Amino acid sequence: MIYLDYNATTPLCEPAREAMLPYLERHFGNPSSVHAAGREARAAIDNARDKLASLLKVKPNEIVFTSGATESCNLAVLGLARCRMERGGHVISNKAEHHAVLNALEHLEKHEGFDVTWLDVAKNGMVDVDQLAASIRPETRLVSIMSANNETGVIQPMREIAQICRARGVLLHSDMVQVFGKMDVDVSMVDAASFAAHKFYGPKGVGFLFLRSGLSIEPIMFGGSHENERRPGTENVAGIAGMAAAAEWVEPERGKEQERQKQLRDDLWNRIAKTFPEAQQNGDVTRCLSNTLNLSFVGFDSETLLMALDLEGVCASSGSACMVGSVVASHVLLAMGLPIERARSAVRFSLGKWTTADEIEAAGAAVKRIIQRLRSRESQYAVA
Ligand code: PLP
């Protein structure tokens, strides 16, 4: 199997597995218990919090453990928008966000009287910072813009966005799920940022929210006083230990690894472009995660291509894995104003730590066979 879907999820790295095992086997205590077994589990959480805080250069109490990025994004968007507000208020985001942000904001819009400004994205996937600045109003409470898009890899100008928000006194959340372990992450410019362990070689079902200290947030779940009353529920001790170990493992090699993946990604593009010169890259190729290649094969539909790739042993995606099973065209590509036939023919290849040059060569050859097969089928039908 050739796995080219690292933006959907990554395999668990060995240090994460090793860090988790003691808490799956021997140290099963509840971290809220005051006895020795509980203290062991609490120590693992404290240790993981310290490691993540030191990697991100933030204070340990600015890390809130969650069940993953969906929960982190929901907590940030709902919790900050609702804070200290009567009903209503104004929030700004963009049309190409992940559904973890999109649907949370739509809920505020439909059911809680909030007004949401949905910024456009340009054809290259970029948010227009002038449109953002012009959209801020006295009652604007929150801006939420993702740092890099999971489907196209397009990187947003977060520093400029942050400067505008800061100058206007508006809180800024960023979905940083796709950048951790791939780029230098600077959370000092935002007020809140969401992360998921399984995107950086940690376990699934665990993540965290960076929340600037001193900021109050309305919890979105109700229960115990865990995580400084910001997120109730017994913590996923093994997951949290694994996440911190993965973060420590992925960070030091990041620069070298991204250069390697960029070369492989460009090699794949060159191979595909030779086979199918009509292929088009989606999103700004100069401001893109170095592991991501989103291509449209106009004339063929994504589902057919992905099934054919799967039969050839290549795992890729048409965009967000959360939309699997649905044949809707990518909302991200449509938000960029791409024609429907381009959105419906898109395939995302995303590379990672274990992608090799041999795999890229084999994936390129698989695409060539598939295109030749689909073309010869088309010409048979044309003759018939
Ligand atoms: N945000 C982005 C950019 C993502 O890529 C994902 C996952 O695909 C999420 C949020 C949601 O992550 P999870 O499914 O781990 O909650």
Side-chain angles (χ1 to χ4, degrees):
M1 181 178 84
I2 299 173
Y3 186 77
L4 296 177
D5 204 11
Y6 281 79
N7 284 8
T9 196
T10 59
L12 191 71
C13 65
E14 187 52 28
R17 197 184 74 86
E18 277 171 19
M20 292 172 76
L21 280 179
Y23 302 96
L24 295 171
E25 294 170 354
R26 298 184 303 284
H27 305 311
F28 59 87
N30 184 327
S32 297
S33 302
V34 291
H35 48 59
R39 289 198 305 274
E40 262 166 7
R42 172 59 52 200
I45 294 178
D46 290 345
N47 186 21
R49 202 186 303 279
D50 288 346
K51 284 181 180 169
L52 288 167
S54 133
L55 280 172
L56 289 172
K57 302 187 185 68
V58 301
K59 300 185 193 111
N61 72 356
E62 293 181 312
I63 305 277
V64 182
F65 291 123
T66 65
S67 65
T70 300
E71 189 190 328
S72 299
C73 289
N74 271 249
L75 176 58
V77 165
L78 300 174
L80 290 173
R82 284 173 181 160
C83 213
R84 281 180 268 132
M85 295 289 289
E86 298 302 317
R87 268 181 75 83
H90 181 235
V91 180
I92 303 173
S93 190
N94 90 89
K95 295 174 185 165
E97 291 288 312
H98 189 276
H99 286 97
V101 167
L102 279 185
N103 290 353
L105 285 176
E106 273 178 25
H107 174 87
L108 289 179
E109 213 175 14
K110 280 193 196 138
H111 303 289
E112 298 186 28
F114 278 82
D115 192 9
V116 180
T117 297
W118 297 102
L119 300 177
D120 298 319
V121 283
K123 246 200 160 80
N124 64 359
M126 303 287 286
V127 165
D128 179 347
V129 287
D130 294 333
Q131 193 195 7
L132 166 68
S135 305
I136 295 178
R137 308 178 198 159
E139 70 274 21
T140 306
R141 174 85 188 119
L142 175 72
V143 171
S144 185
I145 304 287
M146 69 201 313
S147 293
N149 190 277
N150 47 306
E151 296 192 25
T152 58
V154 169
I155 299 163
Q156 297 298 345
M158 287 313 298
R159 207 157 287 284
E160 282 171 79
I161 291 171
Q163 274 163 5
I164 293 170
C165 291
R166 198 140 288 178
R168 306 283 293 274
V170 178
L171 295 179
L172 174 63
H173 164 252
S174 185
D175 173 346
M176 294 197 175
V177 167
Q178 292 293 341
V179 295
F180 191 89
K182 295 177 185 152
M183 288 170 56
D184 190 17
V185 169
D186 180 7
V187 294
S188 72
M189 59 183 165
V190 301
D191 299 291
S194 295
F195 300 88
H198 73 110
K199 307 289 184 175
F200 55 85
Y201 308 92
K204 292 167 186 57
V206 61
F208 66 97
L209 177 70
F210 158 74
L211 184 68
R212 176 181 302 292
S213 63
L215 268 186
S216 47
I217 194 162
E218 276 287 307
I220 55 169
M221 297 196 292
F222 299 90
S225 56
H226 309 78
E227 295 298 296
N228 268 333
E229 307 203 330
R230 295 169 296 187
R231 196 277 187 180
T234 303
E235 299 89 340
N236 175 354
V237 183
I240 289 169
M243 170 162 68
E248 280 198 320
W249 176 79
V250 79
E251 271 298 290
E253 298 272 298
R254 179 165 48 79
K256 222 168 71 198
E257 187 52 32
Q258 288 312 299
E259 195 42 51
R260 188 187 76 85
Q261 288 175 29
K262 183 175 181 307
Q263 282 177 17
L264 293 178
R265 192 255 332 253
D266 293 347
D267 182 29
L268 181 60
W269 161 241
N270 289 332
R271 287 171 189 276
I272 293 175
K274 229 183 257 166
T275 302
F276 187 65
E278 304 90 324
Q280 288 167 297
Q281 279 184 266
N282 297 319
D284 190 325
V285 290
T286 62
R287 289 191 52 98
C288 182
L289 294 173
S290 42
N291 77 321
T292 308
L293 181 64
N294 188 312
L295 301 178
S296 286
F297 295 78
V298 173
F300 304 103
D301 73 275
S302 318
E303 302 297 317
T304 309
L305 290 165
L306 290 174
M307 271 191 301
L309 282 165
D310 196 19
L311 288 172
E312 292 270 359
V314 179
C315 302
S317 154
S318 61
S320 170
C322 315
M323 299 300 285
V324 161
S326 73
V327 286
V328 291
S330 151
H331 73 282
V332 173
L333 301 184
L334 293 179
M336 287 159 58
L338 300 186
I340 186 85
E341 54 286 6
R342 197 156 152 190
R344 280 200 193 281
S345 62
V347 174
R348 178 190 72 187
F349 299 96
S350 49
L351 287 56
K353 277 260 192 194
W354 287 284
T355 308
T356 64
D358 286 350
E359 285 183 328
I360 292 300
E361 190 183 340
V367 172
K368 187 171 181 177
R369 282 194 295 278
I370 291 165
I371 297 290
Q372 282 169 344
R373 209 160 52 232
L374 292 175
R375 277 196 167 137
S376 76
R377 213 180 290 164
E378 265 180 359
S379 58
Q380 267 172 25
Y381 286 128
V383 172

